[in-house]
């Protein structure tokens, strides 16, 4: 091609600026992309799809104050990506040889330095959830920044931790990752983890197993302790930087946030298992610097992942700091730390507690003091040479603390003694209870204003959710809402129009309670007593699509009791409003009952079309004209070309990740497990009357589903059908036959029991979309684990899972029933009860064994005969077989063995006759339709039917015999059935007139319309009906039908043969009564030109007269219009 013919790819500067691109790695394996395939809204959705590619990793900066930098661990600093406040950028790996971990740091510039903060520890960007990252300043800036910032005013607060939240990007099918970064409050307000020190002692903390904390000089430690020049225990001269102390300092009455220096750690042994979050969130705490002798002896480790964990630090172990007298007094004191929850924040609270002094404690203390005295004696002994003495002296100086630290620790010990004398300390049990409450001064029995500094108290009040900031004269209102509904009924009518389903809710209860200031717990609960969805599509194999399993249980008196448990109960408890802005829920409980789902493919497709129609209606754009009239898009002939650029910007993953969703904190989220009984059947073809009433579109859907013309995942819906398709070649016919057989074999299952485990989340922070993604993944995984149960319940395999379940129930009864009988016989001293139990157990085992094998055999033969009926290529023959199965299912009473033999013989004879007569009828029908070509096809169908139809009759006979065996074994009482058979809530809605008008539901009209489908009026639009006493008059848009209470037709007339109506008193067999005279245009065979419809009273006569006149007028108008 010429150069000017090559299409040029250009980028718009407003979407793809030049500065957004930089040099990256050369390995294409590190460029991970995601794609999203979606359907355009409107009419273009039928023909066009939108494919959006995006980077797999997106970084979002949720901070409002700081820019952030992110890079791959161990890569050069010039490969870092800058994420400005509120921006979103894509991220790709910088080096293929480095571990796929990232690290971050805030950008706070000082002078010519890019940032004063170090990089955080590396963490896995693919690990979903939240992580607290410890951020440390560079050594040259750490010393100068401590103690000089105005932290009380909230300005220039140092960044201590950053919250990294890894979540799935919307619209990427679970493959896209969004990492959001935000700094946390250094005092722990709203942070993931917070340390509260309510003891007089200073604490040193660090992540367990990590030596990543910076080295502090003596001056830095004293500044952390709050000692300033001229204060108590401080000296004026310069400090010698000779002592290295490890750990973060938490001074008395201080709160700090806690983060991980090493948020990712690989195992060092075989297998190299990655450390879990539980292993990473282990904290070391001590009453002295961790590297000192006192810190080593007083160090304890606690896990922050479990609420209620406790650690106890012993001040009496600070023997190198305190004298013997003070150590002895501190034997009865412990600094106890309790892991609690303050909304979404995990809090480790320290306080002083009393402890009973035991003999073991006294002896341990004496041994510790003796060992210390021996070391001092050894240090001063004369038998050491000068070199050894100098080394020992240096070692002792290294282990012993400074005078300033000694003074601070002694001051804390003296405060502790004062609290002990005043009786202000709590016991361990009391401290644990009060720590969970977290109210002001929870760590003391009484308030000690003379001990706690006012400045420190202001710091405490900032970190707690106290109500002291509320004015006492403000009014707080308590609201209570309670509603009780008897039930709701939702009728689903599609665009034909035709009612396809009815959903009913019964006994709906709702309750809520909250206060206006949201300072106390708020609760809400909803309960649904019953839920049922009826399938009103014609020829539906299952009249009830969805309902709760209504269990029957046998009591000791052999009485069957119904469990009155609601089908769904939801309970919510909201915590008071939290300062972090996160919605905190203390408890969420969802308790569903076991459900039964019985659907056919025709119902699924029509329900999908109905829901997609609602979606399209809601998304439809409306054009407002000058006269304020609305014109829908479907009424316009021109299709507006969609703006692809705008749609791309709206649907790209970066737009989906552009806003931080509202965070939710669940202290307890529980969804109870439930079971689902699933039954699926192919759709049945509609009769001519049903097809005429439903319309050509619905009839084509049922016909396509029955032939297996399904398209899975094609278009906006999950399942679509290919209507109007005809197999015109021999190869197409063969493909169509096998497709129909495959669909029937793989989609017919009988009562497949699917188990869905429950969900239990404790102290979980998430957002609404992320929670939905998690629950979707949970239940999809549960569905995958139920695939063996689905395959084992297919009717094509004889439902082996159901057979094994029945055998298990029979064996259980065989063992349990004699035991029950034995217990009851011993209680009533009646040996016959034991024999009755043995008889019941043996009978149950026999029923389940024989009936189960007979049921499996009947499924196999039925599947074989149904699929062989497809091989005949005779659609009318297959439809007649479907009608016979529907009639057999509607008969109700069980078939016995004798009945099975009789019906089986009749079907065998019918199969042979159908095969013989088909050899003659099929060529004749083919010749009538398509001449010679049709005659040849008819000959082929006839010969094929002569071979296949007798075999079908034989398999049908075997099916009926097996069903008869099962019915005879089970008898009238089916003890193996645990569930009550459900019936539809009401008959199908009646639609009136030729235009099928939708009106308020009336049960008499619905019953009459349902009854009309069983008469000669089937297939005609329903108009009205009238109960005239001993007879029922049903009017369609074309004819009148009168039948008596015995179901026999009394009168059948067409409107086009009627001249007029008249109301008179007439003489009937019972005497004089009111009636409607029907004057005919043409005399009937008996010579009569008038028919009489008698009524029970004058009001009924006038109502019937009005209906007849209206029907005659509509029929005349329709005939004049040529409809």
């Amino acid at each position: 091609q010429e150069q000017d013919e090559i299409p040029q790819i250009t980028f718009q500067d407003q979407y793809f600026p030049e500065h957004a691109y930089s040099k990256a790695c050369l390995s294409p394996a590190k460029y991970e992309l995601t794609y999203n395939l979606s359907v355009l809204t409107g009419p273009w959705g039928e023909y066009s799809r939108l494919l959006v590619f995006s980077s797999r990793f997106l970084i979002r900066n949720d901070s409002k104050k700081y820019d952030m930098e992110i890079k791959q661990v161990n890569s050069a600093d010039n490969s870092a990506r800058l994420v400005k406040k509120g921006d979103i950028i894509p991220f790709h790996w910088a080096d293929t040889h480095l571990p796929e971990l990232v690290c971050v740091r805030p950008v706070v510039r000082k002078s010519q330095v890019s940032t004063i903060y170090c990089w955080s520890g590396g963490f896995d960007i693919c690990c979903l959830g939240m992580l607290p990252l410890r951020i440390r300043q560079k050594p040259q800036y750490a010393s100068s920044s401590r103690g000089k910032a105005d932290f009380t005013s909230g300005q220039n607060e140092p960044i201590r931790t950053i919250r990294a939240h890894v979540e799935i990007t919307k619209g990427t099918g679970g493959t896209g990752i969004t990492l959001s970064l935000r700094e946390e409050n250094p005092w722990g307000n709203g942070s993931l983890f917070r340390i509260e020190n309510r003891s007089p002692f200073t604490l040193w903390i660090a992540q367990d197993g990590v030596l990543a904390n910076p080295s502090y000089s003596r001056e830095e430690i004293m500044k952390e302790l709050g000692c300033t020049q001229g204060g108590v225990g401080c000296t004026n001269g310069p400090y010698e930087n000779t002592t290295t102390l490890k750990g973060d300092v938490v001074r008395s009455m201080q709160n700090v946030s806690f983060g991980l220096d090493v948020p990712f750690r690989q195992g060092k042994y075989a297998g190299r298992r990655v450390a879990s979050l539980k292993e990473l969130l282990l904290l070391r705490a001590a009453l002295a610097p961790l590297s000192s002798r006192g810190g080593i002896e007083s160090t304890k480790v606690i896990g922050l992942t479990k609420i209620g964990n406790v650690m106890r630090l012993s001040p009496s172990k600070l023997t190198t700091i305190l004298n013997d007298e003070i150590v002895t007094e501190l034997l009865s004191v412990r600094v106890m730390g309790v892991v609690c929850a303050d909304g979404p924040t995990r809090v480790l609270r320290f306080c002083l507690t009393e402890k009973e002094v035991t003999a073991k404690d006294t002896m341990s203390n004496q041994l510790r003091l003796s060992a210390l005295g021996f070391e001092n004696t050894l240090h001063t002994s004369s038998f050491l040479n000068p070199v050894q003495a100098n080394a020992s002296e240096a070692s002792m100086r290294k282990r012993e603390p400074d005078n300033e630290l000694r003074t601070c620790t002694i001051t804390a010990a003296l405060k502790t003694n004062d609290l002990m004398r005043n009786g202000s300390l709590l016991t361990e049990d009391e401290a644990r209870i009060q720590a969970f409450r977290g109210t002001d001064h929870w760590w003391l029995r009484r308030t000690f204003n003379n001990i706690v500094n006012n400045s420190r108290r202001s710091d405490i009040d900032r970190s707690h959710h106290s109500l002291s900031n509320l004015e006492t004269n403000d009014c707080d209102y308590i609201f209570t809402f309670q509603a009780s509904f008897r039930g709701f009924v939702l009728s689903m009518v599609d665009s034909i129009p035709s009612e396809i389903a009815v959903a009913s809710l019964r006994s709906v209860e709702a309750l809520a309670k909250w206060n206006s200031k949201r300072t106390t717990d708020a609760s809400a609960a909803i309960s649904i007593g019953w839920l049922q969805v009826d399938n009103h599509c014609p020829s539906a194999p299952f009249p009830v699509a969805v309902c709760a399993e209504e269990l029957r249980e046998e009591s000791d008196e052999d009485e069957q009791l119904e469990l009155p448990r609601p089908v769904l109960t939801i309970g919510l408890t909201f915590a008071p409003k939290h300062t972090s802005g996160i919605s905190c829920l203390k408890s969420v409980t969802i308790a569903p009952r076991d459900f039964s789902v019985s659907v056919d493919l025709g119902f699924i497709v029509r329900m999908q079309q109905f829901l997609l129609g609602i979606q399209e209606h809601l998304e439809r754009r409306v054009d407002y004209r000058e006269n304020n009239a609305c014109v829908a898009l479907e009424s316009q002939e021109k299709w507006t070309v969609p703006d692809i650029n705008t749609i791309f910007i709206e649907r790209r993953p970066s737009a989906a990740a552009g806003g931080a969703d509202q965070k939710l904190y669940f202290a307890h989220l529980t969804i109870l497990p439930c079971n689902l009984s699933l039954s699926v059947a192919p759709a049945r073809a509609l009769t001519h009357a049903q097809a005429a009433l439903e319309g050509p579109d619905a009839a084509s859907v049922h016909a396509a589903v029955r032939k297996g013309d399904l398209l899975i995942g094609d278009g906006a819906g999950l399942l679509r059908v290919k209507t109007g398709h005809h197999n015109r070649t021999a190869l197409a016919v063969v493909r169509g036959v096998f497709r129909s057989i495959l669909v029937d074999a793989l989609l017919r299952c009988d009562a497949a029991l699917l188990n869905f485990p429950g969900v239990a989340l404790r102290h979980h922070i998430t957002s609404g979309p992320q929670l939905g993604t998690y629950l979707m993944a949970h239940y999809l995984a549960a569905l995958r684990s139920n695939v063996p149960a689905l395959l084992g319940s297919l009717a094509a395999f004889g439902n082996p899972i159901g057979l094994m379940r029945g055998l298990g129930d029979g064996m259980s009864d065989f063992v349990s029933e004699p035991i029950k009988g034995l217990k009851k016989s011993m209680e009533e001293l009646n040996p016959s009860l034991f024999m009755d139990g043995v008889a019941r157990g043996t009978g149950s085992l026999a029923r389940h064994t024989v009936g189960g094998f007979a049921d499996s055999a009947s499924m196999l033969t039925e599947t074989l005969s149904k699929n062989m009926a497809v091989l005949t290529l005779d659609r009318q023959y297959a439809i007649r077989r479907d009608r016979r199965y529907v009639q057999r299912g509607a008969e109700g009473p069980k078939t016995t063995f004798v009945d099975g033999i009789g019906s089986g013989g009749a079907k065998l004879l019918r199969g042979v006759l159908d095969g013989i007569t088909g050899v003659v009828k099929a060529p004749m029908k083919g010749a009538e339709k398509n001449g010679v070509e049709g005659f040849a096809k008819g000959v082929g169908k006839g010969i094929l039917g002569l071979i296949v139809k007798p075999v079908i009759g034989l398999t049908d006979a075997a099916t009926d015999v097996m069903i008869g065996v099962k019915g005879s074994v089970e008898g009238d009482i089916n003890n193996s059935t645990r569930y009550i058979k459900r019936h539809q809530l009401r008959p199908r809605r009646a639609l009136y007139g030729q235009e099928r008008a939708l009106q308020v539901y009336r049960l008499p009209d619905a019953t009459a319309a349902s009854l009309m489908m069983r008469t000669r009026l089937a297939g005609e639009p329903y108009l009205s009906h009238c109960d005239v006493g001993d007879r029922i008059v049903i009017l369609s848009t074309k004819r009148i039908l009168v039948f008596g209470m015995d179901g026999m037709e009394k009168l059948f007339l067409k409107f086009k043969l009627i001249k007029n109506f008249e109301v008179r008193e007439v003489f009937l067999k019972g005497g004089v009564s009111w009636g409607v005279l029907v004057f005919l245009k043409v005399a009937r065979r008996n010579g009569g030109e008038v028919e009489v419809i008698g009524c029970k009273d004058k009001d009924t006569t006038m109502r019937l007269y009005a209906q007849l006149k209206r029907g005659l007028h509509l029929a005349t108008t329709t005939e004049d219009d040529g409809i």
Side-chain angles (χ1 to χ4, degrees):
Q1 292 182 350
E2 297 295 336
Q3 182 67 25
D4 56 351
E5 295 180 359
I6 299 178
Q8 301 294 325
I9 301 177
T10 59
F11 299 96
Q12 300 181 12
D13 292 340
Q14 55 178 335
Y15 304 133
F16 304 97
E18 260 183 54
H19 61 79
Y21 297 92
S22 60
K23 185 177 179 181
C25 65
L26 301 179
S27 173
K30 293 299 179 181
Y31 290 94
E32 299 183 70
L33 302 177
T34 62
Y35 70 91
N36 178 25
L37 183 63
S38 57
V39 180
L40 295 178
T41 58
W44 287 99
E46 294 292 330
Y47 306 97
S48 302
R49 300 293 183 267
L50 183 64
L51 181 62
V52 179
F53 288 94
S54 175
S55 300
R56 182 189 179 191
F57 300 109
L58 298 176
I59 312 300
R60 184 180 70 227
N61 186 0
D62 290 337
S63 175
K64 298 181 180 179
K65 299 170 59 177
Y66 303 102
D67 298 339
M68 300 283 182
E69 283 186 336
I70 183 170
K71 70 167 187 172
Q72 188 176 4
V73 171
N74 296 333
S75 63
D77 286 354
N78 58 8
S79 66
R81 298 295 307 277
L82 177 65
V83 190
K84 294 186 178 181
K85 296 177 290 185
D87 280 358
I88 302 173
I89 65 168
F91 178 80
H92 298 281
W93 302 112
D95 194 338
T96 59
H97 303 289
L98 296 177
E100 295 184 1
L101 303 175
V102 297
C103 56
V104 300
R105 68 178 178 183
V107 179
V108 180
R109 292 179 173 84
K110 187 173 183 179
S111 299
Q112 300 299 325
V113 182
S114 60
T115 179
I116 64 174
Y117 289 98
C118 301
W119 291 101
S120 69
F123 61 96
D124 187 3
I125 199 174
C126 296
C127 184
L128 299 180
M130 295 185 181
L131 274 178
L133 307 176
R134 184 69 167 97
I135 301 299
R136 301 188 180 276
Q137 296 185 15
K138 295 179 179 179
Q140 60 269 32
Y141 302 104
S143 178
S144 62
S145 63
R146 287 191 180 95
K148 295 184 179 180
D150 183 12
F151 298 149
T152 58
S153 63
Q155 301 295 328
N156 301 322
E157 293 181 350
I159 300 177
R160 187 179 178 90
T161 55
I162 286 180
R163 178 184 299 180
H165 186 194
V166 181
E167 54 189 346
I168 298 175
T169 307
K170 302 176 186 176
T172 59
T175 58
I177 298 295
T178 299
L179 171 63
S180 59
L181 304 172
R182 181 173 64 86
E183 78 280 1
E184 294 184 327
N185 187 287
W187 312 119
N189 294 337
S191 61
L192 292 177
F193 296 92
R194 184 172 71 236
I195 311 298
E196 295 183 0
N197 185 7
R198 297 296 172 264
S199 70
F201 293 92
T202 301
L203 300 176
W204 276 261
I205 63 172
Q207 183 182 357
D208 184 46
V210 176
L211 300 178
N213 292 344
S215 300
Y216 291 89
S217 66
R218 188 189 320 178
E219 180 182 3
E220 295 167 1
I221 290 297
M222 298 313 299
K223 289 182 179 180
E224 286 283 359
L225 291 173
C227 298
T228 58
Q229 189 171 5
V232 177
C234 296
T235 61
N236 297 327
Y239 301 107
E240 297 179 0
N241 191 7
T242 58
T243 306
T244 302
L245 304 176
K246 302 290 186 177
D248 291 338
V249 178
V250 184
R251 58 188 179 179
S252 176
M253 315 309 294
Q254 185 188 24
N255 298 347
V256 296
S257 62
F258 175 75
L260 300 178
D261 287 289
V262 180
F264 179 87
R265 187 168 59 200
Q266 190 80 26
K268 61 181 179 179
Y269 300 106
R272 297 182 58 83
R273 183 179 62 87
V274 176
S276 64
L277 190 61
K278 181 179 180 181
E279 296 172 336
L280 293 174
L281 287 171
L282 294 177
L283 179 137
R284 286 189 298 158
L287 298 176
L290 296 176
S291 61
S292 65
R293 177 168 180 170
I296 295 173
E297 291 187 354
S298 63
T299 296
K300 293 292 181 67
V301 178
I302 187 172
L304 299 180
T305 56
K306 183 178 180 182
I307 300 294
N309 283 351
V310 177
M311 72 183 312
R312 300 171 183 86
L313 305 178
S314 301
S316 61
K317 292 184 178 181
L318 302 175
T319 55
T320 59
I321 303 176
L322 305 175
N323 56 35
D324 298 350
E325 182 181 355
I326 297 178
V327 168
T328 304
E329 292 178 354
L330 294 179
L331 285 176
S332 61
V333 177
R334 293 290 185 272
V335 178
M336 188 178 72
V338 184
V339 180
C340 311
D342 178 15
T345 303
R346 193 66 52 86
V347 184
L348 176 57
R349 290 177 170 142
F350 289 94
C351 69
L352 285 176
T353 60
E354 289 182 333
K355 180 184 180 298
E356 183 180 356
V357 181
T358 61
K360 179 181 178 182
D361 297 332
T362 305
M363 293 179 62
S364 300
N365 182 61
Q366 292 299 327
L367 291 174
R368 192 179 301 110
L369 294 176
S370 300
L372 183 61
F374 174 76
E375 290 183 3
N376 294 332
T377 303
L378 186 63
H379 167 64
T380 58
S381 61
S382 60
F383 58 82
L384 291 177
N385 57 47
V387 178
Q388 292 176 339
N390 293 335
S392 178
E393 183 180 0
S395 176
M396 290 297 296
R397 284 200 306 266
K398 186 176 181 180
R399 288 195 300 264
E400 290 181 356
D402 301 328
N403 292 331
E404 295 82 1
L405 300 180
R406 182 191 299 274
T407 302
C408 292
T409 306
I410 292 175
T411 303
L414 295 177
K415 292 179 181 179
T416 302
N417 289 334
D418 292 339
L419 294 176
M420 292 173 58
R421 296 191 194 98
N422 297 332
S424 300
L425 296 183
L426 302 173
T427 64
E428 289 191 359
D429 293 337
E430 292 173 344
R432 187 182 292 107
I433 295 174
Q434 294 297 330
F436 279 101
R437 295 179 180 177
T439 56
D440 286 345
H441 308 308
W442 57 268
W443 58 94
L444 296 175
R445 292 185 184 275
R446 63 181 183 86
T447 306
F448 54 107
N449 296 328
N450 56 336
I451 298 178
V452 181
N453 195 314
N454 291 332
S455 62
R456 302 289 175 83
R457 290 178 57 191
S458 63
D459 180 38
I460 298 169
D461 292 338
R462 283 203 313 271
S463 62
H464 282 277
H465 307 290
S466 61
L467 305 179
S468 58
N469 57 344
L470 298 177
E471 297 182 2
T472 56
N473 56 357
D474 288 348
C475 296
D476 191 9
Y477 299 96
I478 298 177
F479 299 93
T480 302
F481 171 80
Q482 185 174 3
S484 179
F485 302 95
R486 185 177 179 182
F488 299 92
V489 177
L490 177 64
S491 176
M492 304 177 195
V493 181
D494 58 10
S495 59
I496 293 177
S498 178
E499 186 178 62
I500 58 176
V502 172
S504 59
L505 302 174
R506 306 181 201 168
S507 303
V508 180
E509 306 284 343
L511 177 66
K513 184 178 181 180
W514 71 97
N515 68 320
S516 59
K517 294 185 180 297
R518 292 290 289 110
T519 55
T520 59
D521 291 349
S523 60
I526 185 171
S527 173
I528 301 176
W530 184 255
L531 170 64
Q532 181 172 322
V533 179
D534 296 338
N535 182 359
H536 282 288
C537 293
S539 299
F542 305 110
V544 178
V546 180
C547 71
E549 294 284 17
E550 195 168 1
L551 299 177
R552 289 185 184 274
E553 291 192 355
E554 295 184 2
S555 63
D556 294 338
E557 290 78 11
D558 293 335
E559 296 179 355
Q560 292 180 340
L561 302 177
E562 181 180 345
L563 300 179
R565 175 185 163 193
V567 298
L568 182 63
T569 303
I570 302 175
L572 305 173
T573 302
F574 295 87
K577 189 176 181 180
H578 201 267
T579 56
S580 63
I582 298 177
S583 300
C584 303
L585 291 90
K586 283 188 174 181
S587 174
V588 177
T589 304
I590 302 176
R593 242 173 77 180
D594 295 345
F595 275 84
S596 173
V597 178
S598 304
V599 293
D600 61 278
L601 297 183
F603 176 74
I604 294 175
V605 172
R606 294 191 64 177
M607 279 297 299
Q608 178 181 267
Q609 292 179 349
F610 171 75
L611 297 176
L612 290 177
I614 294 178
Q615 180 183 0
E616 182 181 355
H617 175 75
L618 295 177
E619 295 177 352
R620 187 179 300 159
R621 297 181 181 179
V622 181
D623 181 18
Y624 289 91
R625 301 290 177 88
E626 294 181 356
N627 56 359
N628 295 329
C630 299
V631 180
L633 280 177
E634 62 184 13
S635 63
Q636 302 177 2
E637 295 182 358
K638 295 183 179 181
W639 292 0
T640 304
V641 178
D643 187 356
I644 300 299
N645 289 332
T646 303
I647 296 176
F648 166 72
I649 294 174
E650 292 175 353
R651 298 195 183 184
R652 62 181 178 178
S654 59
D661 296 316
Q662 174 65 33
K663 296 298 184 294
L664 302 173
Y665 168 74
F666 296 94
H668 298 275
L669 171 62
T670 304
I671 303 178
L672 299 183
C674 64
N675 298 327
L676 183 68
S677 178
L678 178 64
S679 299
V680 182
R684 292 170 179 160
L686 302 182
T687 62
H688 293 292
Q690 292 171 342
L693 199 62
E694 294 293 315
D697 294 338
S700 62
V701 167
H702 284 263
V705 170
R706 195 182 185 285
K707 291 193 301 181
D709 293 335
L710 302 176
L711 301 174
I712 299 176
D714 186 9
L718 179 63
L719 188 67
R720 296 184 63 189
V721 294
K722 185 166 54 175
T723 58
H725 177 70
H726 298 282
N727 299 324
R728 302 188 181 277
T729 62
L731 183 59
V733 171
V734 174
R735 283 203 305 262
V737 168
F738 281 99
R739 184 170 57 246
S740 177
I741 293 174
L742 184 64
V743 169
D744 180 80
L746 294 182
L747 295 180
R748 286 179 64 239
C749 65
D750 180 34
L753 188 60
L754 308 181
N755 300 314
F756 292 94
V759 176
L761 299 178
R762 298 294 180 265
H763 307 287
H764 186 72
I765 302 177
T766 183
S767 61
Q770 293 299 313
L771 180 61
T773 302
Y774 170 79
L775 295 179
M776 180 68 69
H778 171 79
Y779 286 110
L780 284 178
L783 188 60
R784 286 195 297 267
S785 64
N786 284 296
V787 169
L790 282 172
L791 295 178
S793 300
L794 293 178
F797 302 145
N799 191 8
I801 295 294
L803 174 61
M804 299 305 296
R805 190 184 304 122
L807 293 178
D809 293 340
M811 186 59 66
S812 176
D813 292 342
F814 181 72
V815 176
S816 61
E817 290 296 335
I819 295 176
K820 292 179 181 179
L822 179 61
K823 290 181 179 180
K824 201 168 184 180
S825 64
M826 294 178 65
E827 291 175 357
E828 301 182 9
L829 301 178
N830 186 358
S832 62
L833 297 177
F834 172 70
M835 301 305 299
D836 293 340
V838 173
R840 287 196 302 270
T842 306
S844 177
L845 179 60
R847 285 194 301 272
H848 284 93
T849 303
V850 179
F853 279 105
D855 189 26
S856 296
S858 66
M859 288 185 183
L860 291 173
T861 55
E862 181 180 355
T863 303
L864 179 61
S865 61
K866 185 176 180 62
N867 293 328
M868 291 185 67
V870 178
L871 294 176
T872 61
L873 304 179
D874 190 348
R875 188 173 302 173
Q876 297 300 324
Y877 174 74
I879 293 175
R880 289 197 300 269
R881 292 187 72 260
D882 286 346
R883 292 177 186 173
R884 287 197 293 268
Y885 276 110
V886 172
Q887 184 179 2
R888 186 186 68 183
E891 288 177 356
K894 292 185 177 296
T895 304
T896 62
F897 178 71
V898 177
D899 297 334
I901 292 292
S903 61
K907 288 184 178 180
L908 176 60
L909 181 60
R910 187 183 298 114
V912 174
L913 293 177
D914 289 339
I916 296 175
T917 56
V919 176
V920 180
K921 292 182 178 180
M924 296 177 61
K925 291 182 179 180
E928 292 177 359
K929 292 182 178 180
N930 298 322
V932 178
E933 181 181 0
F935 178 79
K937 291 182 179 180
V939 171
K941 288 183 179 180
I943 296 175
L944 186 62
L946 180 62
I947 299 173
V948 176
K949 289 180 180 179
V951 179
I952 295 175
L954 180 61
T955 55
D956 285 341
T959 300
D960 285 357
V961 171
M962 292 296 103
I963 292 176
V965 170
K966 179 183 176 183
S968 299
V969 170
E970 291 179 348
D972 296 333
I973 301 176
N974 185 11
N975 294 328
S976 63
T977 303
R978 299 178 61 239
Y979 303 108
I980 301 174
K981 186 177 179 181
R982 300 301 307 177
H983 301 279
Q984 289 187 347
L985 177 68
R986 59 168 177 78
R988 194 184 191 192
R989 174 185 294 273
L991 300 172
Y992 302 87
Q994 191 70 37
E995 66 279 2
R996 298 178 63 80
L998 185 65
Q999 299 182 10
V1000 177
Y1001 183 83
R1002 301 182 184 90
L1003 181 60
D1005 287 344
T1007 305
S1010 177
L1011 181 62
M1012 189 180 73
M1013 293 299 296
R1014 304 178 183 179
T1015 64
R1016 286 194 285 175
L1017 299 180
E1020 298 180 7
Y1022 173 80
L1023 187 61
S1024 63
H1025 83 286
C1026 186
D1027 184 1
V1028 297
D1030 58 345
R1031 286 177 292 179
I1032 302 294
V1033 181
I1034 298 180
L1035 280 68
S1036 71
T1037 56
K1038 297 180 180 180
R1039 292 182 284 189
I1040 304 172
L1041 176 63
V1042 180
F1043 59 92
M1045 302 305 295
D1046 55 357
M1048 302 299 295
E1049 293 184 2
K1050 304 298 182 181
L1051 181 63
F1052 185 77
L1053 298 173
K1054 296 181 180 179
F1055 277 116
K1056 66 179 182 180
L1057 301 179
I1058 298 176
K1059 182 188 301 183
N1060 200 359
F1061 302 99
E1062 186 176 339
V1063 177
R1064 291 184 185 178
E1065 286 186 340
V1066 295
F1067 292 94
L1068 300 176
K1069 295 182 180 179
V1072 180
S1073 179
W1074 287 92
V1076 177
L1077 302 182
V1078 182
F1079 297 94
L1080 304 177
K1081 296 179 180 180
V1082 180
R1084 308 194 70 178
R1085 293 180 180 179
N1086 56 5
E1089 296 183 355
V1090 179
E1091 295 290 344
V1092 179
I1093 304 176
C1095 301
K1096 55 185 177 181
D1097 52 37
K1098 186 176 181 181
D1099 293 339
T1100 304
T1101 305
M1102 298 304 299
R1103 186 167 62 253
L1104 175 61
Y1105 174 75
Q1107 293 178 3
L1108 293 174
K1109 291 289 291 182
R1110 176 170 173 266
L1112 180 60
H1113 173 71
L1114 292 176
T1116 305
T1117 305
T1118 303
E1119 185 177 357
D1120 293 340
D1121 294 339
I1123 301 179

